Amino acid sequence: MERSKQVFSYKTEVDPETEIIYGHVTIMTDRKAMDVPYYLISDEVFAVDEDSFADKPGVNDLLGMLEFFYTESDRLLDTVVVFPQMRDDIIRMESFADWLQQWQRYFYLSNVKDIGFIVSHKQAESERFCMILEELGFEEMLSSEEEQQSFYFYNVTYITPVDFPNDDDGAVLQSLKDSGVDMSKPREVEFILLCPNRRIARKVAKLVELEGYVVDVDEDEEHEEFVLVCKKVISLTHAEIVKQQHDLEEITAKYEVKIDGWGAMVD
């Protein structure tokens, strides 16, 4: 197994016929670049004429697995990210589990709470893949002996806070606590800011850095905006989270910047 420095980028495009979003996570290491394809599918896709998928190999099988959730399950899904395949050389990477957690965090902060992986039991690393998914909280929801594949699903539903105020911030804090995070210790928290253009992104990044944040700037080509990931070690209290967001709002008020959520890594 190998471990190397990694950088992630995400790219998506929309199929105008079916409105399925096709995406790629590109993993840049110090050795090579690797693409991992994924789909973003909403329940509206099932209203599309099936003929629209005739020339799209694999999509019908994918929709067949997802339809289970919309017809037989009591789970309520709006949009689900599905990874239909995973390369063995990626699964073998020592940092693979860390990568999966980063992808979960990325989609969570993008307001996509449902993630699924299709695991082919024909691939050499399927057992390791399934084990890692289960360790990260994914459930095996569907299994096909005929096609020798399983569908592992992870769902982040809105949690009604018990130990925190009943709002979005309280729900995230409750989720962190329920995941075993020691809430008594300061932790690095990421706040996501959306900026309309590069000039404003650079200006806001400098202002936020003066407040003690470490800031990463990424371009979201699909939505023609710039994403600032603002990291700071703070106390995991509701008051502190609200204060930090209020301070960020004051700093960015005149720059047409939107605060688009926050999160923290789970050990």
Side-chain angles (χ1 to χ4, degrees):
M1 295 182 186
E2 59 178 312
R3 178 177 287 276
S4 57
K5 182 179 179 181
Q6 310 105 27
V7 177
F8 295 89
S9 63
Y10 300 82
K11 184 177 182 180
T12 58
E13 58 181 293
V14 181
D15 183 328
E17 275 191 275
T18 64
E19 295 189 356
I20 290 180
I21 298 175
Y22 298 85
H24 285 268
V25 179
T26 301
I27 310 168
M28 301 292 297
T29 74
D30 53 14
R31 296 177 177 85
K32 56 187 173 182
M34 297 175 284
D35 270 348
V36 180
Y38 65 86
Y39 297 92
L40 264 169
I41 302 175
S42 72
D43 58 357
E44 296 174 358
V45 74
F46 294 106
V48 178
D49 191 320
E50 291 185 8
D51 292 340
S52 300
F53 304 103
D55 61 344
K56 297 175 173 59
V59 174
N60 273 320
D61 291 340
L62 175 64
L63 296 180
M65 299 192 93
L66 288 182
E67 193 168 11
F68 168 84
F69 292 102
Y70 298 103
T71 58
E72 304 295 334
S73 172
D74 59 358
R75 294 178 185 268
L76 299 177
L77 303 182
D78 177 28
T79 301
V80 59
V81 180
V82 180
F83 290 81
Q85 61 192 63
M86 192 66 60
R87 289 166 39 176
D88 283 332
D89 59 339
I90 293 178
I91 299 171
R92 284 193 292 267
M93 299 288 280
E94 184 179 349
S95 53
F96 180 57
D98 297 334
W99 293 1
L100 294 185
Q101 287 186 305
Q102 290 191 50
W103 298 345
Q104 284 177 269
R105 178 178 58 176
Y106 170 80
F107 288 112
Y108 181 82
L109 293 175
S110 302
N111 292 317
V112 179
K113 307 292 193 295
D114 304 303
I115 304 173
F117 286 88
I118 295 177
V119 180
S120 171
H121 298 292
K122 299 176 184 178
Q123 65 184 109
E125 298 295 335
S126 63
E127 288 188 13
R128 171 175 164 78
F129 191 11
C130 294
M131 180 187 70
I132 292 173
L133 288 174
E134 289 170 2
E135 288 176 350
L136 294 178
F138 285 79
E139 298 178 62
E140 182 178 2
M141 303 302 300
L142 294 171
S143 184
S144 170
E145 292 184 7
E146 180 179 345
E147 298 173 7
Q148 295 187 51
Q149 64 183 16
S150 296
F151 183 66
Y152 279 80
F153 179 74
Y154 179 88
N155 172 249
V156 182
T157 56
Y158 182 85
I159 296 173
T160 302
V162 175
D163 304 309
F164 304 94
N166 189 9
D167 57 19
D168 288 344
D169 296 322
V172 177
L173 287 165
Q174 188 70 53
S175 177
L176 291 172
K177 183 176 181 179
D178 293 346
S179 298
V181 172
D182 186 347
M183 308 299 283
S184 67
K185 296 180 179 179
R187 198 175 191 87
E188 183 178 79
V189 172
E190 295 182 352
F191 295 90
I192 307 300
L193 306 184
L194 304 181
C195 302
N197 57 55
R198 187 185 301 274
R199 180 183 62 80
I200 289 179
R202 287 177 174 174
K203 175 67 174 178
V204 170
K206 290 184 180 297
L207 292 174
V208 173
E209 285 172 348
L210 291 174
E211 298 300 316
Y213 285 88
V214 175
V215 181
D216 296 327
V217 181
D218 297 310
E219 183 176 4
D220 184 341
E221 295 180 359
E222 179 193 356
H223 298 101
E224 298 182 348
E225 61 189 3
F226 286 79
V227 181
L228 272 58
V229 181
C230 308
K231 306 174 185 177
K232 191 176 187 180
V233 177
I234 61 175
S235 300
L236 288 177
T237 66
H238 189 272
E240 183 64 21
I241 294 294
V242 170
K243 177 183 181 301
Q244 293 295 329
Q245 292 180 98
H246 176 73
D247 291 347
L248 289 170
E249 287 174 351
E250 287 197 333
I251 294 169
T252 62
K254 64 179 181 179
Y255 295 104
E256 301 178 22
V257 171
K258 176 185 175 183
I259 298 179
D260 194 40
W262 66 273
M265 286 291 288
V266 175
D267 295 331

